[in-house]
Amino acid sequence: MPKPLQFRAGSLIYFRGDPANQVFILQKGNVNLAYQDIETGADMHDLVQPGEFFGVKSALGRYPREENAIALQDAAIMSFTVPEFEALAAANTRIIMKMLKVFSNQMRRIHGQVSSLMKEETINPEAGLFNVGQYYLKNKRYTQARYVFSRYLTYYPSGKNAHQAAKDLETAEAAIKSGAVSGSSAAAAPVKNAAENTSEAKPNPANLTDTAKAYYDAVSLISQQKYQQAYLEFKKIVETGTEAEYAAKSSFEIGRCLFLLKKYGDCIKYYTMMITKYPKHPDLGDALYYMGQSYEKTNNNEQAATFYKKILSMAGDPEDGTHVKAKRALKALEA
């Protein structure tokens, strides 16, 4: 039987990459589908209105979700399994015609984007950035190479050359540590392990940019329990946006500050926006944990459990800190 679901404003209904086992029909409220344009990489948004369905393509095609679905207002939704939806569609010609119209428009848009990409395939910023890094590495300009490869991994973490870029970044860093530094610029802070806890001790200040120094100073404010000051400093880094790496890290810390300030509703809303912007953020698991905790603090245990389960379903070491915390929190809720 179809299952009625309720989501509060700002709640995540599903994530990009989630298994697609259900089709949804919106009965009340508004839902935003957030995804990236395949041609430009720009953030795109489709608004679902009451009476419309979503999550259909991935469910019927048996592939992971392609977008994040977020409730913009308190939403009432009916959830169908694939067989239930197929039975409904078979008995309702209007639903089939609506599906065909939507899919036809989407396919025309995708075809146009792919055609445009094919015409512009000679202009490839990803390959260009990687080649610049290779040039510096071959010419033993290790500081510049480190900077370029760190930028590549920030902008293209799943790019075609990501694996090689990570190896080359390690090579450049090893050369720098051994003293074999060429060139005059010490532009970038190391990003060897992007998934490191952002609260770790500061690196050598001599190797940091002004933005990096500001970031670690703000982290230090958190350790001093000066959460409001830290929040304002992280916000400056994000608004300035001069270094994408530290803007992304600061985005996570802003949400953490809101949680520590006990602004639980604001924490949920902020992390919802952050996840839409950075769906592969290295601190995604911790962000989901703080969202779960925020729901728990506001006595919405059902939604909190959803976030803890999401963390436990994510790939990674089941014994790492975030998985362990989520497991304990879920166990406490179910006790």
Side-chain angles (χ1 to χ4, degrees):
M1 291 289 292
K3 183 180 179 181
L5 302 174
Q6 300 288 329
F7 291 91
R8 292 186 181 179
S11 298
L12 284 151
I13 300 166
Y14 59 75
F15 294 87
R16 183 166 62 184
D18 277 352
N21 303 319
Q22 299 165 303
V23 175
F24 303 97
I25 294 181
L26 180 63
Q27 294 180 306
K28 179 182 177 183
N30 290 115
V31 170
N32 179 43
L33 303 181
Y35 58 96
Q36 287 187 320
D37 187 280
I38 65 170
E39 181 180 8
T40 65
D43 294 330
M44 303 294 289
H45 302 274
D46 287 341
L47 186 63
V48 182
Q49 302 283 0
E52 295 181 343
F53 45 80
F54 59 100
V56 180
K57 283 194 303 177
S58 52
L60 297 185
R62 308 292 201 278
Y63 54 79
R65 301 294 188 190
E66 296 180 316
E67 68 282 318
N68 295 330
I70 305 162
L72 297 180
Q73 302 173 344
D74 290 353
I77 295 170
M78 289 299 294
S79 169
F80 295 79
T81 65
V82 172
E84 287 170 345
F85 183 76
E86 288 175 340
L88 175 67
N92 193 323
T93 307
R94 290 179 61 190
I95 289 181
I96 294 176
M97 295 304 295
K98 198 170 185 180
M99 286 171 56
L100 289 172
K101 182 178 179 180
V102 170
F103 291 170
S104 177
N105 290 338
Q106 290 174 339
M107 289 305 294
R108 277 198 297 271
R109 184 177 71 239
I110 291 171
H111 176 74
Q113 292 171 339
V114 170
S115 297
S116 178
L117 283 172
M118 292 294 286
K119 292 174 184 176
E120 298 175 5
E121 66 177 341
T122 56
I123 305 173
N124 188 334
E126 177 188 345
L129 188 60
F130 177 77
N131 290 338
V132 170
Q134 292 259 294
Y135 168 82
Y136 283 131
L137 188 64
K138 289 176 181 177
N139 286 277
K140 299 183 180 180
R141 299 173 67 178
Y142 299 115
T143 302
Q144 291 91 335
R146 180 182 67 181
Y147 177 77
V148 173
F149 287 127
S150 69
R151 296 298 89 199
Y152 179 96
L153 292 170
T154 298
Y155 295 128
Y156 308 106
S158 301
K160 180 180 179 181
N161 299 301
H163 182 67
Q164 186 60 47
K167 285 186 175 182
D168 291 342
L169 178 59
E170 291 182 2
T171 300
E173 289 184 334
I176 291 169
K177 288 178 182 178
S178 70
V181 179
S182 299
S184 59
S185 172
V191 292
K192 182 176 180 181
N193 185 358
E196 287 176 343
N197 190 313
T198 53
S199 303
E200 289 186 357
K202 295 181 185 180
N204 184 352
N207 296 330
L208 298 178
T209 62
D210 289 341
T211 302
K213 290 175 183 177
Y215 169 80
Y216 286 107
D217 285 342
V219 169
S220 179
L221 289 172
I222 292 181
S223 67
Q224 300 171 48
Q225 299 184 357
K226 297 178 180 178
Y227 306 134
Q228 184 63 33
Q229 289 176 252
Y231 168 82
L232 294 173
E233 293 303 314
F234 288 126
K235 193 174 179 183
K236 286 180 187 176
I237 295 171
V238 171
E239 290 173 349
T240 303
T242 53
E243 291 192 44
E245 173 194 351
Y246 289 102
K249 288 183 176 182
S250 295
S251 292
F252 167 75
E253 296 296 347
I254 286 173
R256 187 157 73 108
C257 287
L258 289 170
F259 178 82
L260 294 170
L261 288 166
K262 300 182 180 180
K263 297 181 178 181
Y264 303 123
D266 290 340
C267 175
I268 292 168
K269 289 179 182 178
Y270 190 86
Y271 274 141
T272 298
M273 291 187 295
M274 189 200 83
I275 291 169
T276 300
K277 186 173 182 180
Y278 302 108
K280 295 183 179 180
H281 196 289
D283 295 309
L284 175 61
D286 287 316
L288 296 177
Y289 178 76
Y290 282 119
M291 293 177 78
Q293 286 282 285
S294 295
Y295 276 116
E296 201 170 335
K297 295 288 187 182
T298 53
N299 298 315
N300 190 342
N301 291 346
E302 183 178 351
Q303 196 69 359
T306 299
F307 280 84
Y308 298 144
K309 290 175 182 177
K310 172 62 181 176
I311 294 169
L312 296 176
S313 71
M314 292 168 61
D317 183 359
E319 299 304 318
D320 74 6
T322 307
H323 276 74
V324 170
K325 288 189 297 185
K327 192 182 296 182
R328 288 175 180 169
L330 184 61
K331 187 175 180 180
L333 285 179
E334 294 175 343

